[in-house]
Amino acid sequence: MGLHVAIIMDGNGRWATARRMPRIAGHRAGAATVRRVIEEAPAMGIGTLTLYAFSSDNWKRPVEEVTGLFMLLGEFLERETRALVEKGVRFSAIGRRDRLDARLVRMIEETEAATVGCGTLHLRVAIDYSSRDALLAAARDGASTREEVSALLGGAPDVDVLIRTGGEKRLSDFLLWESAYAELFFTATAWPDFSNGELGRILEEFRSRDRRFGAAPAVAAFALR
Ligand code: FPP
């Protein structure tokens, strides 16, 4: 089935500012990193990749930056849909759609429909996403068991590896339920500079970690046999 890797792609703005470029240039460079990671993810054993592209709190950013980010997402969908189908990548967006531009929503729906049968990698992009709001919506829809909550949150497997680039060490309302037992990795590398080599090293460390899910070490070793 493959690992579920979730990434908080932080540090784009600072990457651009350090180069005396507008912040949107950092996001554009970040979109190039997204393409590179998608390319290698299946070979690295990743089955589900969830990327935090726009949080519900990101609406607080200057309108030019917000517009620029949505433009980049639209460009990505427009240019990459065919490549996603060819690579067997299923695309889904998670998050609210009612505040997005109708054109972007249409593009999201088209890419989701075009890739629905793909099974090499499930790429989930969080747009206007808040984990707390998603949980509230699931509760409002009547979820009362763990399985029902997980299904209403999109039905993806639990997160195995959660990575945040850009040096900050916080979760910022991302996949709080799904990451209950995720292994956390924080790197100072800004997202535009994040390489598949670094991703590979993180996955190597992940594989060496002892995941006990609350059990005592000996019990876990026994259970895994
Ligand atoms: C955080 O960096 C990054 C974002 C809010 C946007 C991430 C979006 C992309 C990489 C664009 C394309 C995405 C896809 C899926 C094609 P920041 O701006 O908070 O950086 P800073 O902390 O240095 O200011």
Side-chain angles (χ1 to χ4, degrees):
M1 195 166 72
L3 296 173
H4 183 176
V5 174
I7 309 183
I8 302 176
M9 310 181 287
D10 199 11
N12 295 343
R14 281 164 287 157
W15 182 92
T17 305
R19 287 161 180 74
R20 299 177 195 281
M21 298 196 303
R23 291 175 57 83
I24 193 65
H27 296 313
R28 189 173 283 285
T33 305
V34 168
R35 290 189 184 90
R36 288 198 303 272
V37 169
I38 293 170
E39 196 73 45
E40 287 286 318
M44 291 179 157
I46 299 173
T48 306
L49 178 67
T50 306
L51 303 175
Y52 208 177
F54 191 87
S55 84
S56 295
D57 286 320
N58 287 152
W59 288 109
K60 296 174 195 155
R61 294 191 176 203
V63 67
E64 317 82 70
E65 184 171 347
V66 171
T67 314
L69 274 168
F70 288 140
M71 196 191 66
L72 282 175
L73 286 166
E75 261 178 33
F76 175 83
L77 294 170
E78 205 164 63
R79 294 188 187 164
E80 301 293 322
T81 298
R82 193 188 306 183
L84 293 177
V85 174
E86 279 165 11
K87 288 186 206 121
V89 179
R90 173 177 163 211
F91 171 89
S92 311
I94 55 169
R96 286 178 63 165
R97 299 191 184 187
D98 58 305
R99 299 188 288 197
L100 304 180
D101 186 83
R103 218 173 87 84
L104 181 62
V105 175
R106 214 170 35 247
M107 290 161 96
I108 288 171
E109 289 170 352
E110 281 168 9
T111 305
E112 285 179 335
T115 61
V116 74
C118 297
T120 305
L121 171 72
H122 187 185
L123 170 67
R124 307 191 322 148
V125 178
I127 307 171
D128 196 0
Y129 176 84
S130 152
S131 185
R132 286 173 161 181
D133 287 348
L135 282 165
L136 272 178
R140 261 189 239 110
D141 288 344
S144 61
T145 63
R146 290 181 174 192
E147 290 71 24
E148 285 167 358
V149 173
S150 293
L152 284 169
L153 291 177
D158 278 357
V159 173
D160 297 297
V161 179
L162 189 139
I163 302 168
R164 182 175 189 134
T165 63
E168 313 286 359
K169 296 190 174 85
R170 51 178 171 258
L171 298 179
S172 302
D173 202 7
F174 188 48
L175 303 176
L176 301 178
W177 172 278
E178 298 90 327
S179 297
Y181 278 99
E183 294 291 327
L184 308 181
F185 292 84
F186 299 98
T187 168
T189 308
W191 178 247
D193 287 333
F194 188 75
S195 66
N196 288 331
E198 185 165 5
L199 177 57
R201 286 190 291 279
I202 287 173
L203 295 181
E204 205 174 309
E205 187 188 327
F206 164 78
R207 291 189 168 103
S208 76
R209 286 193 190 176
D210 181 18
R211 296 184 87 196
R212 294 196 296 275
F213 299 96
V219 174
F222 175 74
L224 285 171
R225 245 191 272 139

